[in-house]
Structure formats: C-alpha cells, structure tokens
Amino acid sequence: MMKKTYKIEVDCANCANLMEDAARKTAGVEAATVNFMTQKMIVEFTEGQDPKAVMKSVLDACKKVEPDCEIFL
C-alpha cells in the first residue's frame, strides 16, 4: 500500500476534520489523516491507484467542505 504525506493549509481544527472526512470518502483512498498542528495530510492509497489522479479528487472534495483549504500536490 502506498502512503504519501502532503503539506496543507487549513485555518481551523474543525476544518481539518472536515477535510479528513472528505478525503476518506474519496474513491481510491484507503485511509486519510489530517494533522492541523503540523498542517499535513497523510493519505494511504488503495492498491493500483494513481496518487496524482486520486489527490485531484481529494482536493475537489476538500474544497467543497472548506473552500479556503489548500493541498500542495
């Protein structure tokens, strides 16, 4: 299983939780953890998925719940 860490920009802990939920519900994501303190998102991808394509979907999903958030891909 592939695991990657992404730098994020999110304004509040609650927003970070919303981003985490959005990421977890995205197709191709096995698990996701957002750490508000370190401004990082750790994503585990389902076997055989293209992380770049999956992360575009994750970013779209996160922007829906938290328009100000940023994921540096």
Side-chain angles (χ1 to χ4, degrees), residues 32-45:
T33 309
V34 173
N35 187 321
F36 173 66
M37 298 304 285
T38 60
Q39 297 280 295
K40 285 191 170 29
M41 176 186 276
I42 300 166
V43 181
E44 287 182 42
F45 299 95

Side-chain angles (χ1 to χ4, degrees), residues 14-70:
N14 186 50
C15 304
N17 290 338
L18 291 172
M19 284 178 72
E20 187 174 277
D21 285 346
R24 284 181 175 163
K25 290 176 185 152
T26 304
V29 174
E30 192 70 34
T33 309
V34 173
N35 187 321
F36 173 66
M37 298 304 285
T38 60
Q39 297 280 295
K40 285 191 170 29
M41 176 186 276
I42 300 166
V43 181
E44 287 182 42
F45 299 95
T46 310
E47 205 62 51
Q49 292 292 323
D50 173 19
K52 277 192 176 136
V54 173
M55 286 308 294
K56 282 200 175 94
S57 300
V58 168
L59 181 58
D60 287 345
C62 287
K63 290 273 190 196
K64 282 186 186 125
V65 294
E66 187 45 51
D68 291 344
C69 78
E70 197 52 74

